[in-house]
């Protein structure tokens, strides 16, 4: 392709710009999840966890670490892209990209790159915090890294789609509050679903976050409520579906072209 | 000659009801300096938005240097630099970064983008402010920032939507000089403006648009020659205390020291001076009253609305 080099430069420009955006305001982007997660570790893991004892044969503090890292990755990847895309739309500087010869697919990938890097940065930061409370065990490095990467991509895409549809600043908080947070809390961050009555175990299975948290927990601790391959299939399936939907919206110019 | 821009039956209807463009046809030749004039709400920004692919057209065809927007969108985009009517940069980004990033989006390597950003920011007198975030610039500086940003990929066609709105006279003149230079380098320029003086000063060709229709499309010179009458202002050497009437001339006494006179184009000024001298009136200086074009513009808009 003739414009491969130009496209590579354009993509790099977007990713660098997106990364600088959250890095410059790290006090608002990277620090808060470190503080929140410290509180979770102290309260749930330390104070309450010491009374719970073990979950699936693992010390409760150690059990919740993977879920909490995942929770931080999910919310940060999501909110990075939704707020960046929405404010680009709101302040109209998305037009800088729209008038340029960048394929829509690369605009999407550029924003995803920003969300991914924010998710991973926060993921690493929270992991460092967790070391104060729990020794880092890595059962399977490849699974750990691939799951966190794919999950960050998935929620970056979801954030982008939210940003495309959002019309006001309130709209960018609706999905995180009413969908993301409940699904994460119910996604096996704090408990094994084997604790639930059978009916609720079945209901839980429709929650995609459950698969991600468990796959990640498998990577770190070697235990999981779910089949690993089903988890991968679900994550990748969602990524493909969301990407195609985002591309469709961008090509149509939904919310960005009059 | 190649067409920098060709619009064919370009139509835009907002929300199924507001007909912003009613099938306009327009051609701008490569190398031209072209003015698009029209009252508020005429459809200028809509046309420009469609050309720059920020607005979806309802029907019709747009060709940029022969590239059809429907089939060769990215090739068309590479030819265009856009200075929109509304500020559309990230207010919190530093000036230099805004320009360099725009280069990046156009696939220009970082070092080269920096070099060009420096060149254009210097030419537009913004280099000193390159580290400021855009929000801290004045309105006129923000306009110039958008011009620098539009030039960083050195487009063949520069489109400016009211580039001098809210810009003081001095800066406006230096902006004019700058645009003339850009045009002389071979770049085609299309601009919209409400200042007719600006169009007259800069542009070779002009189209007037009103209510989504092109009502005039001609040479600037041709348009000016449509004026049969010209108005001159005469500054007098000695005060004139009463009305003066000269047969064959329409004179108005503005104050003791100033007269205004309407002269038919073909008549010339000689007879006027002969007659004035006979009356003992001495003229110190004479200037052309600059609102002629405005009058013409108003006439044309009114005529087209009446028709
Ligand atoms: N996004 C929009 N939705 C609905 N109507 C619109 C939209 N943008 C413009 N219009 C309408 O289209 C018509 C043309 O507007 P446009 O902005 O193209 O005018 P203009 O010639 O640029 O005017 P001005 O000199 O004030 O900038 C106006 O009636 C305007 O209200
Ligand atoms: Mg306008």
């Amino acid at each position: 392709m003739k414009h491969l080099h130009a496209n590579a430069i354009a993509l790099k420009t977007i990713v660098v710009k997106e990364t600088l955006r959250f890095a410059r305001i790290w006090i608002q982007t990277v620090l808060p999840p470190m503080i929140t997660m410290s509180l979770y570790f102290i309260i749930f893991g330390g104070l309450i966890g010491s009374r719970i004892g073990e979950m699936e044969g693992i010390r409760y503090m150690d059990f919740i670490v993977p879920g909490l890292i995942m929770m931080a990755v999910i919310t940060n990847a999501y909110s990075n892209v939704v707020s960046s895309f929405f404010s680009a739309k709101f302040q109209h500087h998305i037009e800088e990209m729209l008038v340029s010869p960048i394929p829509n697919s690369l605009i999407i990938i550029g924003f995803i790159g920003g969300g991914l890097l924010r998710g991973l940065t926060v993921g690493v930061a929270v992991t460092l915090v967790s070391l104060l409370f729990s020794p880092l065990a890595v059962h399977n490095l490849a699974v750990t890294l691939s799951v966190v990467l794919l999950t960050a991509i998935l929620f970056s895409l979801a954030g982008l789609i939210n940003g495309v549809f959002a019309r006001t600043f309130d709209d960018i908080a609706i999905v995180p509050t009413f969908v993301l947070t409940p699904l994460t809390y119910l996604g096996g961050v704090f408990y094994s679903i084997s604790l639930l009555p059978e009916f609720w175990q079945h209901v839980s299975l429709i929650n995609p976050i459950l698969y991600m948290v468990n796959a990640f927990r498998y990577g770190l601790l070697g235990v999981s409520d779910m089949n690993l391959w089903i988890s991968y299939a679900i994550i990748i399936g969602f990524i493909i579906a969301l990407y195609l939907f985002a591309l469709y919206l961008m090509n149509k110019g939904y919310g960005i072209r009059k | 000659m190649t067409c920098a821009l060709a619009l064919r039956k370009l139509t835009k209807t907002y929300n199924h009801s507001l007909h912003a463009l009613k099938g306009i046809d327009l051609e701008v030749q490569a190398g031209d300096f072209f003015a698009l004039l029209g009252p508020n709400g005429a459809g200028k920004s809509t046309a420009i938005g469609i050309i720059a692919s920020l607005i979806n057209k309802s029907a019709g065809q747009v060709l940029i240097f022969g590239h059809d927007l429907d089939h060769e969108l990215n090739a068309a985009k590479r030819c265009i630099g856009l200075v929109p009517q509304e500020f559309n940069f990230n207010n919190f980004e530093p000036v230099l970064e805004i320009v360099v990033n725009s280069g990046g989006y156009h696939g220009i390597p970082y070092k080269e983008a920096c070099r060009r950003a420096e060149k254009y920011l210097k030419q537009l007198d913004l280099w000193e402010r390159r580290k400021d975030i855009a929000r801290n610039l004045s309105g006129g500086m923000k306009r110039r920032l958008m011009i620098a940003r539009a030039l960083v990929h050195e487009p063949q066609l520069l489109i400016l939507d009211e580039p001098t709105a809210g810009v003081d006279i001095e800066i406006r003149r230096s902006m004019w000089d700058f645009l003339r230079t850009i045009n002389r380098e071979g770049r085609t320029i299309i601009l919209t403006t409400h200042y007719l003086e600006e169009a007259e000063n800069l542009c070779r060709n002009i189209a007037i648009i009103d209510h989504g229709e092109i009502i005039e499309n001609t040479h600037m010179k041709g348009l000016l020659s449509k004026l049969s009458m010209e108005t001159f202002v005469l500054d007098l050497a000695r005060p004139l205390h009463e009305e003066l009437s000269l047969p064959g001339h329409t004179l108005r006494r503005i104050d003791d020291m100033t007269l205004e006179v309407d002269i038919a184009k073909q008549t010339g000024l000689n007879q006027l001076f002969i007659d004035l001298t006979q009356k003992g009136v001495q003229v110190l200086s004479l200037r052309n009253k600059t609102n002629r074009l405005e009058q013409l513009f108003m006439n044309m808009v009114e005529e087209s609305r009446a028709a």
Side-chain angles (χ1 to χ4, degrees):
Chain A
M1 231 175 81
K2 199 169 119 204
H3 299 290
L4 207 61
H5 184 58
N7 284 343
I9 291 172
L11 178 61
K12 190 180 127 201
T13 307
I14 303 178
V15 174
V16 169
K17 177 181 143 121
E18 284 301 298
T19 308
L20 284 178
R21 195 193 73 91
F22 78 78
R24 275 186 187 136
I25 46 170
W26 63 274
I27 294 187
Q28 294 163 53
T29 51
V30 181
L31 197 58
M34 293 173 78
I35 294 173
T36 321
M37 291 308 154
S38 302
L39 293 173
Y40 276 117
F41 288 135
I42 293 169
I43 296 169
F44 288 94
L47 299 176
I48 301 175
S50 58
R51 302 204 166 196
I52 295 175
E54 291 191 342
M55 182 83 61
E56 303 222 315
I58 290 169
R59 193 167 68 107
Y60 188 66
M61 172 72 94
D62 301 341
F63 180 85
I64 63 171
V65 165
L68 288 175
I69 295 174
M70 212 50 168
M71 185 157 128
V73 170
I74 288 172
T75 43
N76 279 278
Y78 190 94
S79 69
N80 195 68
V81 182
V82 70
S83 58
S84 178
F85 190 88
F86 178 72
S87 65
K89 194 172 89 167
F90 188 77
Q91 281 196 54
H92 296 288
H93 59 259
I94 187 85
E95 292 176 4
E96 292 179 336
M97 293 177 199
L98 298 181
V99 300
S100 312
I102 317 174
N104 286 331
S105 54
L106 289 191
I107 296 182
I108 296 173
I109 293 171
F111 274 99
I112 299 318
L116 176 64
L117 286 172
R118 160 107 169 254
L120 294 183
T121 306
V122 169
V124 168
V126 170
T127 306
L128 291 178
V129 169
S130 78
L131 291 180
L132 299 173
F133 305 93
S134 161
L136 183 67
V138 180
H139 175 77
N140 184 328
L141 189 65
V143 171
T144 307
L145 292 182
S146 61
V147 169
V148 76
L149 212 77
L150 290 170
T151 305
I153 291 173
L154 194 165
F155 284 94
S156 298
L157 276 165
L160 182 86
I161 291 168
N162 189 173
V164 169
F165 282 107
R167 288 179 191 280
T168 66
F169 276 101
D170 295 330
D171 293 345
I172 72 178
I174 288 178
V175 177
T177 311
F178 292 103
V179 182
L180 223 49
T181 308
L183 285 185
T184 313
Y185 277 82
L186 298 173
V189 172
F190 296 105
Y191 54 83
S192 158
I193 58 162
S194 59
L195 298 186
L196 299 175
E198 201 169 331
F199 173 75
W200 290 107
Q201 282 191 29
H202 288 305
V203 173
S204 292
L205 294 181
I206 60 168
N207 177 359
I209 293 181
L210 185 70
Y211 297 85
M212 299 164 208
V213 168
N214 274 283
F216 189 61
R217 183 174 288 132
Y218 175 82
L220 286 180
L221 303 177
V223 296
S224 170
D225 292 341
M226 305 301 174
N227 178 303
L228 191 61
W229 300 113
I230 293 180
S231 299
Y232 272 115
I234 287 176
I235 299 174
I236 292 170
F238 263 100
I239 288 178
I240 294 172
L242 291 177
Y243 173 77
L244 291 177
F245 186 47
L247 190 62
Y248 166 78
L249 292 171
M250 288 291 289
N251 286 343
K252 244 187 92 185
Y254 189 91
I256 47 175
R257 285 196 172 90
K258 282 166 249 167
Chain B
M1 244 204 294
T2 37
C3 252
L5 171 72
L7 305 181
R8 308 258 154 81
K9 300 258 167 298
L10 187 64
T11 305
K12 174 68 185 179
T13 309
Y14 286 109
N15 310 322
H16 307 289
S17 59
L18 199 151
H19 302 286
L21 293 176
K22 301 169 186 163
I24 60 172
D25 292 296
L26 190 69
E27 288 196 354
V28 177
Q29 301 303 321
D32 201 357
F33 204 137
F34 193 94
L36 190 59
L37 252 72
N40 286 138
K44 304 180 294 293
S45 297
T46 300
I48 287 176
I50 293 170
I51 295 164
S53 71
L54 291 175
I55 298 177
N56 291 327
K57 62 184 160 58
S58 305
Q61 192 185 27
V62 180
L63 298 163
I64 318 283
F65 287 97
H67 303 295
D68 189 325
L69 276 195
D70 289 332
H71 304 115
E72 300 174 88
L73 180 62
N74 286 337
K77 282 176 174 177
R78 277 184 203 99
C79 301
I80 302 179
L82 174 71
V83 180
Q85 183 171 8
E86 314 280 348
F87 301 132
N88 70 341
F89 38 73
N90 186 339
N91 268 310
F92 298 97
E93 263 174 34
V95 167
L96 182 62
E97 217 172 286
I98 289 174
V99 180
V100 171
N101 277 347
S102 177
Y105 299 150
H106 285 86
I108 295 161
Y110 182 73
K111 280 210 177 109
E112 175 64 10
C114 289
R115 199 188 60 72
R116 291 189 197 175
E118 178 174 349
K119 173 178 159 194
Y120 291 113
L121 286 175
K122 278 184 174 159
Q123 286 182 2
L124 287 155
D125 225 356
L126 282 173
W127 183 244
E128 304 293 308
R129 307 297 297 266
R130 66 188 176 279
K131 288 180 182 151
D132 286 21
I133 58 168
R135 193 170 67 158
N136 293 349
L137 298 183
S138 76
M141 292 175 189
K142 287 177 182 169
R143 295 243 161 249
R144 283 179 280 147
L145 166 59
M146 294 205 295
I147 298 182
R149 184 186 62 181
L151 285 170
V152 71
H153 61 287
E154 311 206 313
Q156 288 169 272
L157 171 62
L158 182 64
I159 304 178
L160 308 107
D161 199 351
E162 295 186 35
T164 55
V167 172
D168 73 40
I169 308 249
E170 196 190 335
I171 302 285
R172 188 180 305 163
R173 302 223 170 240
S174 72
M175 235 150 105
W176 288 356
D177 287 338
F178 178 73
L179 291 176
R180 276 195 205 99
T181 317
I182 295 285
N183 178 243
R184 242 180 271 124
E185 286 170 1
R187 274 175 243 290
T188 313
I189 299 184
I190 300 175
L191 63 79
T192 75
T193 175
H194 289 141
Y195 303 109
L196 291 132
E197 192 200 352
E198 183 162 285
E200 188 182 354
N201 251 298
L202 291 172
C203 300
R204 281 187 288 280
N205 290 294
I206 183 168
I208 295 178
I209 178 169
D210 185 37
H211 281 110
E213 286 169 304
I214 303 268
I215 58 173
E216 182 71 55
N217 183 0
T218 175
H219 294 295
M220 201 69 216
K221 285 205 184 91
L223 186 69
L224 292 175
S225 72
K226 283 201 174 180
L227 293 157
S228 50
M229 291 297 230
E230 277 192 282
T231 305
F232 292 94
V233 179
L234 310 178
D235 297 315
L236 306 180
R238 283 189 300 273
L240 183 72
H241 294 295
E242 53 205 38
E243 287 296 334
L244 177 75
S245 77
L246 285 183
H249 302 287
T250 334
L251 282 177
R252 285 178 301 278
R253 198 178 69 104
I254 306 299
D255 57 43
D256 284 2
M257 305 297 289
T258 320
L259 281 178
E260 239 180 54
V261 56
D262 298 330
I263 307 273
K265 267 256 168 100
Q266 53 279 42
T267 318
L269 290 165
N270 281 0
Q271 192 57 45
L272 174 70
F273 283 114
I274 293 168
D275 295 347
L276 280 173
T277 315
Q278 270 184 357
K279 289 266 180 187
V281 178
Q282 263 194 45
V283 176
L284 268 187
S285 62
L286 152 139
R287 68 200 135 87
N288 204 317
K289 208 173 161 181
T290 44
N291 70 357
R292 307 159 296 138
L293 198 56
E294 254 137 74
Q295 194 53 50
L296 178 72
F297 176 71
M298 293 308 296
N299 292 347
M300 289 201 333
V301 169
E302 268 159 33
E303 272 168 36
S304 113
R305 285 182 191 178

